[in-house]
């Protein structure tokens, strides 16, 4: 039985605050009210009926970022070889009580293939710009939680909101550089000034080119005045012919590990990145870096958190740590590359083979090849097996 004659009387009493939850339910049932009647009367309350769904978030209004848990006890990094100062990891481990492992790769394609196979269990990887686009398309990245990266304020504006990460959602820039030619000035009389250098039989057995599809084929495209991102079949056919013509002169397709052979004098010249060249030069002052007159590749590599990473807070703490001016400067002092961190650049003490303004005009960023990727993959297989 209900103390109220009508549902409206009951509703008025509820609004006046005269009933507790138990009395409300007893009187409701006495009047034969159902859950849907409660909402008609404006009496829906938690537990008695479902709350209406929240309105969709307005994309123009920034949403609060999630809270991350406490820092995990481990962190797994997968990055290019020789790309971090010797004390970066030990200092982080000590300060944050977090054990770090670093595995290395020699090309973006090697790294992406490993992630696609689900391997590694990595928390941070280091793609070049075009590879960020590829990873985005493949759904291989987690979003960053920017509030854990206050030191991102140190990043130079030119390295923020890039074409490959226009909202800074996924990347923290790591290092930037160019792909040219490292050479021994005591072994080669005329410094190489063209990619044609590798076509010269006089260099037979004493030169190497990179084991990196994009940089290697890109060099031959540049040689013919084409874009390093061309997917035009005629351009690719010409690049293939040049690459195969150069092949008898090459001692190997090899990337960063060629440094030891340059230092020892077993190799006189190698297609190589400017920073790795500076690392070799630190061991042998006869080593120099040249940018071919036809132009070359310029790139910026970034750190991203791969999809499914387990140690997300540790990844953020590491990124924020390397964005400190001193830590960033120490990294570039070791790698020989430019730092995208302007506060770090101001503290650097070792030289970088920066491109001149004239050379800058000839440099080109790599982009995702999209549907042209399959043709490039086939070309690279053909070149290597020729
Ligand atoms: N030893 C570190 C080299 C990093 C080179 N990354 C850029 C590659 C652009 N194709």
């Amino acid at each position: 039985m209900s103390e109220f004659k009508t549902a409206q009387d009951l509703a008025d009493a509820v609004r006046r605050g005269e009933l507790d939850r138990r009395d409300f339910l007893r009187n409701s049932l006495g009047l034969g009210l159902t859950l849907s009647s409660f909402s008609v009367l404006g009496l829906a309350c938690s537990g008695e009926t479902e709350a209406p769904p929240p309105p969709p978030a307005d994309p123009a209004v920034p949403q609060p970022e999630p809270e991350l848990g406490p820092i995990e006890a481990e962190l797994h990094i997968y990055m290019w070889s020789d790309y971090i100062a010797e004390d970066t990891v030990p200092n982080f481990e000590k300060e944050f009580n977090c054990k770090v492992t670093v595995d290395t790769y020699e090309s973006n394609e090697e790294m992406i293939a490993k992630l696609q196979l689900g391997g590694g269990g990595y928390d941070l990887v280091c793609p070049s710009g075009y590879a960020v686009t590829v990873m985005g398309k493949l759904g291989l990245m987690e979003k960053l939680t920017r509030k854990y990266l206050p030191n991102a304020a140190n990043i130079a504006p030119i390295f923020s909101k890039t074409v490959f990460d226009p909202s800074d959602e996924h990347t923290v820039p790591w290092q930037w550089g160019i792909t040219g030619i490292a050479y021994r000035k005591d072994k080669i009389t005329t410094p190489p000034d063209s990619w044609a250098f590798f076509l010269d039989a006089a260099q037979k057995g004493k030169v190497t080119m990179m084991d990196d599809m994009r940089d290697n084929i890109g060099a031959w495209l540049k040689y013919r005045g084409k874009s390093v991102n061309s997917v035009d079949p005629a351009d690719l056919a010409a690049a293939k012919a040049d690459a195969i013509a150069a092949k008898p002169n090459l001692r190997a397709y090899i990337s960063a590990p060629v440094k030891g052979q340059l230092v020892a004098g077993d190799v006189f010249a190698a297609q190589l990145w400017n920073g790795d060249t500076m690392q070799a030069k630190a061991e042998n002052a006869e080593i120099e870096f040249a940018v071919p007159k036809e132009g070359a590749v310029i790139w910026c590599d970034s750190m991203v958190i791969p999809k499914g990473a387990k140690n997300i807070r540790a990844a953020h703490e590491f990124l924020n740590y390397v964005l400190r001016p001193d830590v960033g400067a120490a990294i570039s002092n070791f790698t020989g590359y430019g730092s995208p961190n302007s506060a770090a650049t101001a503290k650097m003490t070792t030289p970088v083979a920066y491109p001149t303004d004239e050379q800058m005009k000839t440099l080109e960023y790599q982009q995702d090849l999209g549907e042209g990727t399959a043709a490039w993959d086939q070309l690279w297989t053909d070149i290597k097996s020729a």
Side-chain angles (χ1 to χ4, degrees), residues 80-83 108 128 130 179 212 214-215 256 259 273 276 279 297 299 301 337 366:
W80 302 84
S81 64
D82 304 328
Y83 217 23
N108 288 297
S128 306
Y130 78 90
T179 309
D212 181 307
R214 293 299 307 264
D215 276 337
K259 292 192 291 276
W273 302 295
D276 282 70
Q279 291 172 31
V297 169
W299 43 263
D301 297 333
Y337 288 106
Q366 293 159 322

Side-chain angles (χ1 to χ4, degrees), residues 17-361:
E18 292 169 358
L19 294 185
D20 64 16
R21 179 188 163 92
R22 212 166 132 221
D23 284 338
F24 166 67
L25 283 174
R26 183 172 51 75
N27 281 288
S28 306
L29 294 173
L31 286 168
L33 293 178
T34 60
L35 287 179
S36 56
S37 334
F38 297 161
S39 42
V40 169
L41 290 166
L43 294 178
C45 55
S46 157
E48 267 69 63
T49 188
E50 281 181 24
D58 178 349
V61 178
Q63 298 301 303
E65 292 189 298
E67 295 296 321
L68 299 180
I71 184 167
E72 299 85 1
E74 55 191 271
L75 176 69
H76 304 283
I77 301 174
Y78 192 34
M79 72 187 324
W80 302 84
S81 64
D82 304 328
Y83 217 23
I84 190 163
E86 280 165 9
D87 63 356
T88 312
V89 162
N91 289 347
F92 177 82
E93 289 182 318
K94 214 180 296 164
E95 182 174 336
F96 291 87
N97 196 24
C98 176
K99 177 86 191 108
V100 181
T101 62
V102 181
D103 292 344
T104 59
Y105 54 83
E106 296 299 332
S107 73
N108 288 297
E109 288 66 33
E110 182 185 346
M111 178 271 289
I112 291 174
K114 189 160 183 181
L115 293 189
Q116 280 188 289
L117 288 173
Y122 296 113
D123 303 304
L124 286 170
V125 298
C126 191
S128 306
Y130 78 90
V132 172
T133 310
V134 175
M135 288 181 69
K137 282 189 185 169
L138 294 171
L140 289 176
M141 295 186 292
E142 297 281 354
K143 262 192 187 178
L144 295 171
T145 306
R146 303 285 308 185
K147 70 181 175 188
Y148 291 93
L149 303 172
N151 292 338
N154 292 330
I155 296 170
I158 193 176
F159 293 105
S160 288
K161 303 204 175 358
T162 53
V163 284
F164 51 87
D165 189 15
S167 308
D168 287 340
E169 279 184 342
H170 295 105
T171 60
V172 167
W174 180 259
Q175 303 273 273
W176 71 273
I178 43 182
T179 309
I181 303 175
Y183 67 97
R184 287 279 302 250
K185 64 180 180 208
D186 56 338
K187 307 275 187 195
I188 288 173
T189 40
T190 315
D193 72 341
S194 163
W195 292 113
F197 175 82
F198 294 102
L199 291 167
D200 181 356
Q203 315 303 336
K204 197 177 171 97
K206 289 293 178 188
V207 296
T208 65
M209 289 189 79
M210 282 189 170
D211 190 10
D212 181 307
M213 171 178 96
R214 293 299 307 264
D215 276 337
N216 192 311
I217 297 173
W220 292 118
L221 286 166
K222 272 291 183 204
Y223 174 54
R224 296 285 172 185
K226 307 298 179 188
S227 165
V228 298
N229 300 304
S230 178
V231 292
D232 181 310
D235 294 351
L236 296 184
K240 177 175 168 178
D242 288 331
I244 290 174
K247 205 171 168 187
N249 300 332
L250 302 183
R251 184 181 169 97
Y253 290 120
I254 181 172
S255 299
V258 78
K259 292 192 291 276
Q261 298 176 40
L262 274 167
V263 169
D266 299 329
V267 165
F268 295 172
Q271 184 191 20
L272 194 59
W273 302 295
N274 57 335
D276 282 70
T277 304
M278 295 309 275
Q279 291 172 31
K281 187 177 172 65
E283 290 185 46
N284 188 326
E286 298 296 333
I287 295 170
E288 298 291 350
F289 183 72
V291 179
K293 60 181 181 230
E294 301 92 359
V297 169
I298 181 171
W299 43 263
C300 180
D301 297 333
S302 299
M303 282 294 204
V304 312
I305 300 180
K307 199 78 188 163
K310 299 268 184 309
N311 303 301
I312 300 268
R313 178 65 185 269
H316 282 79
E317 292 299 342
F318 186 80
L319 293 177
N320 198 49
Y321 162 80
V322 297
L323 285 168
R324 291 179 190 171
D326 287 345
V327 179
I331 291 171
S332 276
N333 282 340
F334 172 82
T335 64
Y337 288 106
S339 174
N341 177 334
S342 40
T345 305
K347 291 180 157 250
M348 281 172 61
T349 52
T350 58
V352 171
Y354 290 119
T356 63
D357 289 348
E358 271 313 294
Q359 288 168 342
M360 276 303 281
K361 292 179 198 153

